[in-house]
Short mmCIF file of all heavy atoms in Angstrom, two decimals:
data_model
loop_
_atom_site.label_atom_id
_atom_site.label_comp_id
_atom_site.label_asym_id
_atom_site.label_seq_id
_atom_site.Cartn_x
_atom_site.Cartn_y
_atom_site.Cartn_z
N ALA A 324 -13.63 7.93 -14.17
CA ALA A 324 -14.72 8.43 -13.34
C ALA A 324 -14.05 9.44 -12.41
O ALA A 324 -13.72 9.13 -11.26
CB ALA A 324 -15.37 7.31 -12.55
N SER A 325 -13.76 10.61 -12.94
CA SER A 325 -12.96 11.56 -12.19
C SER A 325 -13.57 12.95 -12.27
O SER A 325 -14.49 13.20 -13.03
CB SER A 325 -11.53 11.61 -12.75
OG SER A 325 -11.55 12.04 -14.10
N VAL A 326 -13.03 13.85 -11.45
CA VAL A 326 -13.49 15.24 -11.41
C VAL A 326 -12.28 16.12 -11.71
O VAL A 326 -11.18 15.88 -11.24
CB VAL A 326 -14.05 15.56 -9.99
CG1 VAL A 326 -14.42 17.05 -9.93
CG2 VAL A 326 -15.23 14.70 -9.69
N GLY A 327 -12.51 17.12 -12.50
CA GLY A 327 -11.45 18.08 -12.81
C GLY A 327 -11.99 19.18 -13.67
O GLY A 327 -13.19 19.26 -13.90
N GLY A 328 -11.13 20.01 -14.14
CA GLY A 328 -11.56 21.12 -15.00
C GLY A 328 -10.46 21.48 -15.96
O GLY A 328 -9.32 21.10 -15.78
N GLN A 329 -10.82 22.22 -16.97
CA GLN A 329 -9.88 22.68 -17.97
C GLN A 329 -9.56 24.14 -17.75
O GLN A 329 -10.45 24.95 -17.50
CB GLN A 329 -10.43 22.50 -19.39
CG GLN A 329 -10.60 21.09 -19.79
CD GLN A 329 -11.10 20.95 -21.23
OE1 GLN A 329 -11.58 21.88 -21.83
NE2 GLN A 329 -11.01 19.73 -21.77
N LYS A 330 -8.27 24.47 -17.82
CA LYS A 330 -7.83 25.86 -17.76
C LYS A 330 -7.30 26.20 -19.16
O LYS A 330 -6.58 25.42 -19.77
CB LYS A 330 -6.73 26.01 -16.74
CG LYS A 330 -6.30 27.46 -16.56
CD LYS A 330 -5.29 27.61 -15.45
CE LYS A 330 -5.06 29.06 -15.21
NZ LYS A 330 -3.81 29.54 -15.64
N LEU A 331 -7.69 27.37 -19.64
CA LEU A 331 -7.33 27.78 -20.98
C LEU A 331 -6.57 29.10 -20.94
O LEU A 331 -6.87 29.96 -20.11
CB LEU A 331 -8.58 27.95 -21.83
CG LEU A 331 -9.45 26.70 -21.93
CD1 LEU A 331 -10.86 27.06 -22.39
CD2 LEU A 331 -8.82 25.71 -22.87
N SER A 332 -5.62 29.24 -21.85
CA SER A 332 -4.89 30.50 -21.96
C SER A 332 -5.13 31.09 -23.35
O SER A 332 -5.56 30.37 -24.26
CB SER A 332 -3.39 30.29 -21.76
OG SER A 332 -2.90 29.51 -22.84
N PHE A 333 -4.86 32.39 -23.51
CA PHE A 333 -4.97 33.04 -24.80
C PHE A 333 -3.72 33.88 -25.03
O PHE A 333 -3.31 34.64 -24.16
CB PHE A 333 -6.20 33.95 -24.86
CG PHE A 333 -6.27 34.77 -26.11
CD1 PHE A 333 -6.52 34.20 -27.36
CD2 PHE A 333 -6.05 36.14 -26.06
CE1 PHE A 333 -6.55 34.95 -28.51
CE2 PHE A 333 -6.09 36.91 -27.22
CZ PHE A 333 -6.33 36.30 -28.44
N HIS A 334 -3.13 33.69 -26.20
CA HIS A 334 -1.94 34.46 -26.60
C HIS A 334 -2.20 35.02 -28.00
O HIS A 334 -2.27 34.25 -28.96
CB HIS A 334 -0.68 33.59 -26.63
CG HIS A 334 -0.43 32.92 -25.31
ND1 HIS A 334 0.11 33.58 -24.23
CD2 HIS A 334 -0.64 31.64 -24.92
CE1 HIS A 334 0.20 32.73 -23.22
NE2 HIS A 334 -0.24 31.55 -23.61
N PRO A 335 -2.37 36.36 -28.11
CA PRO A 335 -2.64 36.91 -29.46
C PRO A 335 -1.46 36.69 -30.38
O PRO A 335 -0.29 36.62 -29.94
CB PRO A 335 -2.86 38.40 -29.21
CG PRO A 335 -2.49 38.65 -27.79
CD PRO A 335 -2.31 37.35 -27.09
N ILE A 336 -1.76 36.55 -31.66
CA ILE A 336 -0.70 36.40 -32.65
C ILE A 336 -0.17 37.80 -32.96
O ILE A 336 -0.94 38.73 -33.19
CB ILE A 336 -1.23 35.73 -33.93
CG1 ILE A 336 -1.51 34.27 -33.63
CG2 ILE A 336 -0.24 35.85 -35.07
CD1 ILE A 336 -2.06 33.49 -34.80
N ALA A 337 1.15 37.91 -32.97
CA ALA A 337 1.79 39.19 -33.25
C ALA A 337 1.49 39.58 -34.69
O ALA A 337 1.60 38.77 -35.60
CB ALA A 337 3.29 39.10 -33.01
N LYS A 338 1.10 40.81 -34.85
CA LYS A 338 0.83 41.33 -36.20
C LYS A 338 2.13 41.60 -36.92
O LYS A 338 3.11 42.07 -36.33
CB LYS A 338 0.03 42.61 -36.11
CG LYS A 338 -1.28 42.45 -35.34
CD LYS A 338 -2.43 42.61 -36.27
CE LYS A 338 -3.71 42.68 -35.53
NZ LYS A 338 -4.41 41.49 -35.35
N ALA A 339 2.17 41.31 -38.21
CA ALA A 339 3.35 41.56 -39.02
C ALA A 339 3.56 43.08 -39.15
O ALA A 339 2.59 43.82 -39.34
CB ALA A 339 3.23 40.93 -40.40
#
Side-chain angles (χ1 to χ4, degrees):
S325 62
V326 176
Q329 293 182 345
K330 184 175 188 253
L331 302 162
S332 67
F333 172 69
H334 304 283
I336 290 180
K338 303 248 189 266

